[in-house]
Amino acid sequence: MEDKKVLFSAIQPSGILTIGNYLGALRNFKKLQSDYNSIFSVADLHTLTVKQDPAVLRKNTYELTALYIACGINPDESILFAQSHVPCHAELTWILNTVTYPGELSRMTQFKDKSLKHEDNINMGLMDYPVLMASDILLYQTELVPIGADQKQHLELTRDLAIRFNNRFGETFKVPEGYFAKNGARVMSLCEPERKMSKSDANENAFISMNDDPATIVRKFKRAVTDSDNRIVCDENKKGITNLLTIYSAFTDKTIEEAEKEFEGKGYGEFKVRVGEAVADVIEPIRQEKNKLLQSKDYLDSVLKSGAERAQYVAYKTLNKVYKKVGLVPRIRG
Ligand code: TRP
C-alpha cells in the first residue's frame, strides 16, 4: 500500500439503505477514498446480531457490495470486502473481549435501544457488537473512521480499548479518529419531520430508499409533510420545509441560502417536485449501475475475493503482533 493514512468504514447489509445513509456515509466514502488507503467492509457478522433470513442476508451482502461500487468505490484502488471473509475480525474480537468490561458494553446506548427493540433476542453478539467493531477498525491500524453520529460512542470504546491494550501490552494499535459528515448527517422523515429518516419506518413514504425509481421519489416528495404558511425558508417552526431544503442543498451542492433564494415566491408544489428531481438525478444512475452489477455475481464474487485477500494480508500483521504480545505461541503459517 502507498504511504497514506488508513481509512476504514463499514456498513451492515441489513436491508434497504436510505438517502440518509448515502449522504451520511457512501457519498463521503467516495470523496475520501483517494486521499487515504481506504478499506470498506460489508459488516455481515454485525448483521447476525439481530435475526436474519439467511437467504435475504446473502442477497443483501451482494446488494451492498454492488451499491458501494455504484456509488464510486473503486475496488482496485480501495479494499472492499465482506467482514466474514477475513477471520482475523472474529479472532481479534476474542482477544479484545478479554480487556473489555461487561459494564462498558451494557451501558452502550445502541445496545440498550436494540435490546428494547428485539426483546425476544437479546444475545451476547448484540452486546459484543462494539468490540467486533473495534476489531474491524484496529486490525488495519486505522487513523480515520467516517461514521454517523450514532456510532460515536462505539468509536470512543474503540479508542479506549486501543489505549488500554497499548498500556497493558505495549504499543500495538493506532488510536483512530472519527470523521463526521457535516452535511446530510440528519435527514428527517418525510412524514414526521421531527424524527430521523429511518429505513425501518413502517410507512414507506417516510423515507427515500436507494432502490426507489425517479417516479417513486418524486411521488414521495410530493406527499412530504410541510405546513400551511407558504414560505420556503429554514425555520425552527417549519421542520418539513427545513428538511426539504436541507436535502435539496445536499443533493445539488448548493448552500441553504442559495436554495432559499432560488425558491423565493415559489409554491410548495413546485418546490417539492424540484427536490424530488434533484434527488432522483443523483440516485437513479447509481440504482441503474447497482442493478447492472447485480447481474454479474461472478464479478462481485471476484471483487470480494480479492478484497478479502488484500484485507487479510494487512489484518494478519496486526493479529500476529497481538497474539505475540499477549503470550500466545506464534503459529507457523504455511
Ligand atoms: N456499526 C456500524 C453501523 O451500523 C457499521 C460498522 C461495523 C462500522 N464496523 C464498523 C463502521 C467499523 C465503522 C467502522 O453503522
Side-chain angles (χ1 to χ4, degrees), residues 8-12 43 46 129 133 136-137 145 147 151:
F8 184 98
S9 202
I11 300 178
Q12 288 192 64
H46 276 115
Y129 183 112
M133 183 162 155
D136 294 344
I137 296 167
V145 190
I147 35 169
Q151 297 297 311

Side-chain angles (χ1 to χ4, degrees), residues 47-58:
T47 303
L48 292 176
T49 59
V50 304
K51 273 189 196 136
Q52 300 295 322
D53 173 332
V56 174
L57 174 59
R58 219 172 341 261

Side-chain angles (χ1 to χ4, degrees), residues 88 92 139 172 312-333:
C88 299
L92 182 59
L139 273 174
T172 309
Q312 167 133 320
Y313 178 81
V314 184
Y316 250 121
K317 286 194 191 165
T318 301
L319 188 73
N320 281 336
K321 200 156 134 190
V322 168
Y323 274 10
K324 211 191 258 167
K325 296 259 183 182
V326 299
L328 300 177
V329 172
R331 64 184 123 180
I332 295 159
R333 280 204 286 133

Side-chain angles (χ1 to χ4, degrees), residues 8 48 86 105 122 200 216-217 228 236 254 271 322 331:
F8 184 98
L48 292 176
V86 178
L105 298 180
I122 305 177
S200 40
T216 307
I217 294 176
S228 53
E236 181 63 22
K254 292 177 184 167
F271 171 54
V322 168
R331 64 184 123 180

